[in-house]
Amino acid sequence: MSTIILLLITGLGLGALYFLVASGLSLIYGLMGVLNFAHGSFLTLGAFAGWELSRRMGGESWGTLIASMLLGMVVGAAVAAATEFLLIRRLYNRHIEQVLVTVGLALATVALFEGIWGTDPIYVTAPPWLSQTTEILGARVPNDRFLMIGAAVLVLLGIVAFLRYTRFGLIIRAGVENRSMVTALGIDVRKAFTVVFAIGGAAAGLGGVLASHYFGYVSPQLGGSLLIFAFIVTVIGGLGSLAGAAIASVVVAILQQFANYFWGGTGDLMVVLLLAVVLLVRPTGILGKKA
Amino acid sequence: MKSLANLSQRTWWIVGGVLVVVAALLPLLNLSIPGVLPGATYTPGTLQLLALALLFASLALSYHLLFGTAGMLSFGHALYFALGAYGLGIVLQQTELTLIPALGLTLAVVIAAAYLLGSLSLRVTGISFAMVTLAFAQAGNVLVRRNPGLTGGEEGLRLDTEHIPDFFIGVVNTRNLYWLSLALLVVVFVVVAWFENSRAGHAVTATRENELRVRVLGLRPFGVKLMAFVIASVLASLVGMVHLLLQSGTTPRATSADFTLTILVIVVLGGVGSRWGAIVGGIIYTLLDQRLTALASSDAIDGLPAILRIPLSEPLFILGTLFILVVLFLPGGIAGAVKRLSTGTSATPSERKLLEEAE
């Protein structure tokens, strides 16, 4: 029983990380039709920014942790907005070329990070509370899981509130439904593109800082390894659906944890198998629009 | 591509034939191109590099069939390359089969895998297809890394030379492997050209342009797309097998998503939709990669201040940047640029359209 609770909460923590990456991917894809391969680099950069900050301020304090999370968000948002503005916008409506540009950016930035910070993992320091455990129904759960879950829930609520109650949110929701109609009504959707990229980048940057605490290290490959699972999550959840991404993140991460524990480390394969099953039964994903 | 060859398709084939003959004679000649090749063309080191360039050209051609002709943006093409390399390596290691039967057995496995995974991934199109192929390739990557007993894990798999003919073994025989690579390139080129000009090839091109219309005409796009997928996968696996022989082994990098992205970069650099572009792209990429790596560790770079030294010592950074610039400013890649220069027109709507409708 305690094992199952531990696996469930750990799965939720991992799912929170997936969601932080997948939410941005899904929003960007939903509005612009761009599959953003550089999203992993936003995450990695956020993680490195957070690490650089905590290295300078001493990583033991809560203030540093919160500051590094905020810095990760700001860096992620700034880089993502710059990417949209300088690269993606020039290729407006040419989806494949937009994907190719993000592929090039991902290759170049990972190489650049390796040049700057080296290829070896760098271990991070965190407030001592995070490495302790809390007992829930007999299960000793590492405390950092709660941080992940809390942050992801806040991000989810924040994005939902933003989409529902602000003018930009309205434009974005309308744009996901029917972009040409929004443009025809005289609204400049392109501003919304930059905003969506910035939001996605901020979530990824935050995800980067949290991922560095979840795994205990930062490395240039950090973003790439999470990105692949985030891709799977977005497909399973349905491209462009935020709620779908949230559900799929949790399902995928929990499945992964259970398979790793009970079926001898087959988590990654089970996730791919789940993807295959979802595609066979429902090619548009759980909450995807009808093709 | 058609306008490139419309006046003189036969001339192009003759030019290609002459180039193949020249390439075949290279190991017997003493040519040096300082700055491009590491040594004279008869030396094993140079032949190894040239053979690698030819293999990358073949691999790019097989991807061209998938992406350029059929318009399927796959992020899992490396899986089939790796299946060929690891498959052959494992069969040679675990069984007593000689090279040819081992090749046949691996091919059968590849065809089955490509058919199964292809028919599954082709249930979705466009970006979803890209992500699904990526996921399958990732599963392959995990399998290779998690089973060190069979695949050598992170260390990579060494070629078991016991059952391989002597003329493919050793540094002295690099030129035989070079000729093998050249022969493979010719085979791949002929197969790709044949498929593109066949009825199935026309159907698949039509599907790329407008799938709905093909359906309305009463054709079933799924079958021809699957056929293109399987042929491209088999060609990629053949390249993987020769790569295994050439490099005397293979590493998990062959299964990684980065490797597929490399192939994509090659095809886009060369020019999407152009067979010649894919070949030129593969050769230029390999030479550039080798030269940039040499440059990265040279003294000239070491003496630069950090802000220049760090980016310049990462070959992938330079290639990635180059790739972004090509996508932004040179639609149609090298082949497109050459065509514009030769015809004097600046617009390339066809390449642009090709890229767009591939989605």
Side-chain angles (χ1 to χ4, degrees):
Chain A
M1 184 62 198
S2 65
T3 316
I4 289 178
I5 299 228
L6 178 65
L7 288 176
L8 271 178
I9 296 181
T10 304
L12 274 176
L14 188 61
L17 284 183
Y18 290 163
F19 173 74
L20 287 174
V21 189
S23 57
L25 279 179
S26 201
L27 271 183
I28 291 171
Y29 185 84
L31 185 67
M32 309 169 63
V34 181
L35 179 62
N36 184 16
F37 265 82
H39 217 70
S41 296
F42 302 162
L43 182 143
T44 312
L45 194 63
F48 273 116
W51 172 73
E52 287 281 355
L53 186 84
S54 74
R55 188 176 64 145
R56 284 178 174 76
M57 288 172 60
E60 306 274 303
S61 81
W62 277 96
T64 309
L65 181 69
I66 291 168
S68 66
M69 279 160 66
L70 288 177
L71 181 70
M73 286 176 82
V74 171
V75 168
V79 175
T83 305
E84 197 279 332
F85 198 75
L86 295 174
L87 297 176
I88 311 286
R89 180 162 295 190
R90 307 179 61 102
L91 299 168
Y92 181 64
N93 249 352
R94 282 150 55 191
H95 293 163
I96 293 289
E97 280 156 304
Q98 288 174 327
V99 174
L100 296 181
V101 161
T102 62
V103 166
L105 189 65
L107 288 177
T109 47
V110 170
L112 190 63
F113 298 154
E114 287 182 352
I116 298 174
W117 285 292
T119 45
D120 296 331
I122 303 171
Y123 295 96
V124 294
T125 47
W129 181 79
L130 281 184
S131 42
Q132 292 161 6
T133 55
T134 306
E135 202 166 308
I136 297 180
L137 297 176
R140 301 181 69 82
V141 182
N143 288 335
D144 58 353
R145 311 295 190 258
F146 301 114
L147 181 70
M148 318 279 147
I149 298 169
V153 168
L154 280 182
V155 167
L156 175 62
L157 292 178
I159 294 180
V160 167
F162 174 80
L163 288 179
R164 189 155 297 174
Y165 300 115
T166 64
R167 188 177 151 73
F168 263 122
L170 187 70
I171 296 175
I172 292 168
R173 273 186 297 145
V176 172
E177 284 297 319
N178 188 339
R179 196 172 64 200
S180 28
M181 181 55 88
V182 178
T183 317
L185 289 171
I187 295 164
D188 188 3
V189 196
R190 282 179 304 175
K191 265 187 210 135
F193 290 175
T194 318
V195 172
V196 162
F197 251 86
I199 294 176
L206 175 65
V209 177
L210 292 176
S212 68
H213 290 294
Y214 182 88
F215 296 112
Y217 64 86
V218 227
S219 83
Q221 313 294 338
L222 187 69
S225 51
L226 274 171
L227 186 67
I228 289 183
F229 287 107
F231 277 154
I232 296 177
V233 161
T234 33
V235 172
I236 291 181
L239 284 163
S241 161
L242 198 64
I247 298 171
S249 313
V250 172
V251 170
V252 164
I254 289 182
L255 173 74
Q256 207 175 4
Q257 291 298 326
F258 274 79
N260 272 341
Y261 187 83
F262 289 110
W263 298 314
T266 53
D268 297 356
L269 296 180
M270 283 300 147
V271 169
V272 174
L273 206 64
L274 174 70
L275 175 72
V277 170
V278 167
L279 285 176
L280 274 175
V281 179
R282 202 180 154 83
T284 52
I286 301 174
L287 293 178
K289 282 186 278 189
K290 292 273 183 297
Chain B
M1 212 206 69
K2 207 171 182 188
S3 63
L4 190 77
N6 62 352
L7 197 131
S8 50
Q9 189 140 25
R10 247 179 64 208
T11 322
W12 274 106
W13 280 97
I14 293 170
V15 170
V18 171
L19 281 176
V20 168
V21 171
V22 171
L25 290 176
L26 277 183
L28 309 174
L29 300 174
N30 181 4
L31 295 173
S32 297
I33 313 175
V36 179
L37 297 177
T41 47
Y42 67 89
T43 56
T46 307
L47 283 178
Q48 170 95 5
L49 178 66
L50 287 175
L52 202 61
L54 294 176
L55 287 183
F56 268 98
S58 307
L59 192 58
L61 258 181
S62 73
Y63 193 73
H64 152 80
L65 183 64
L66 207 58
F67 181 47
T69 308
M72 296 187 277
L73 180 60
S74 162
F75 282 120
H77 201 52
L79 179 65
Y80 302 97
F81 174 87
L83 212 53
Y86 273 103
L88 183 62
I90 291 172
V91 168
L92 283 173
Q93 206 166 53
Q94 306 289 331
T95 67
E96 294 296 307
L97 293 176
T98 53
L99 187 59
I100 299 295
L103 268 170
L105 180 62
T106 315
L107 263 186
V109 172
V110 169
I111 293 173
Y115 186 83
L116 184 75
L117 296 180
S119 46
L120 207 55
S121 345
L122 280 170
R123 289 181 57 83
V124 286
T125 53
I127 294 295
S128 301
F129 175 78
M131 293 206 205
V132 173
T133 48
L134 178 71
F136 286 137
Q138 198 57 26
N141 184 274
V142 172
L143 277 179
V144 165
R145 284 173 194 275
R146 291 268 171 86
N147 293 297
L150 207 56
T151 63
E154 303 285 340
E155 299 280 300
L157 185 68
R158 285 200 57 73
L159 178 65
D160 186 357
T161 48
E162 195 185 336
H163 301 294
I164 295 184
D166 285 338
F167 51 86
F168 282 150
I169 300 169
V171 179
V172 216
N173 288 320
T174 308
R175 60 182 189 180
N176 291 335
L177 286 164
Y178 170 80
W179 280 320
L180 181 66
S181 310
L182 184 65
L184 180 67
L185 178 60
V186 173
V187 169
V188 171
F189 186 85
V190 169
V191 169
V192 169
W194 164 79
F195 181 77
E196 283 183 349
N197 291 317
S198 70
R199 288 175 61 92
H202 290 308
V204 98
T205 315
T207 310
R208 179 192 76 208
E209 295 297 327
N210 192 335
E211 178 154 356
L212 187 65
R213 203 150 157 189
V214 172
R215 280 172 196 272
V216 170
L217 285 171
L219 296 168
R220 290 191 41 206
F222 183 82
V224 284
K225 276 163 91 174
L226 185 58
M227 192 170 161
F229 187 89
V230 173
I231 292 179
S233 304
V234 167
L235 293 179
S237 75
L238 286 174
V239 178
M241 295 178 203
V242 179
H243 190 263
L244 173 84
L245 295 179
L246 181 69
Q247 304 285 55
S248 309
T250 185
T251 60
R253 195 185 113 72
T255 62
S256 68
D258 275 0
F259 192 66
T260 302
L261 296 185
T262 309
I263 311 171
L264 179 66
V265 167
I266 291 173
V267 169
V268 175
L269 281 182
V272 177
S274 161
R275 284 195 295 260
W276 293 103
I279 295 177
V280 172
I283 293 173
I284 289 186
Y285 172 86
T286 316
L287 296 179
L288 205 61
D289 188 43
Q290 206 266 348
R291 287 291 95 188
L292 285 176
T293 312
L295 176 82
S297 50
S298 70
D299 296 336
I301 294 292
D302 226 26
L304 289 172
I307 194 152
L308 282 174
R309 192 192 67 229
I310 290 172
L312 285 181
S313 59
E314 294 289 337
L316 256 182
F317 176 77
I318 303 178
L319 282 169
T321 314
L322 188 70
F323 178 67
I324 295 177
L325 294 177
V326 166
V327 174
L328 283 179
F329 301 113
L330 206 65
I334 296 168
V338 169
K339 197 165 99 189
R340 257 169 302 174
L341 280 178
S342 61
T343 57
T345 53
S346 61
T348 52
S350 59
E351 283 102 353
R352 214 165 266 193
K353 229 173 109 200
L354 198 73
L355 273 168
E356 245 168 58
E357 296 191 351
E359 201 229 350

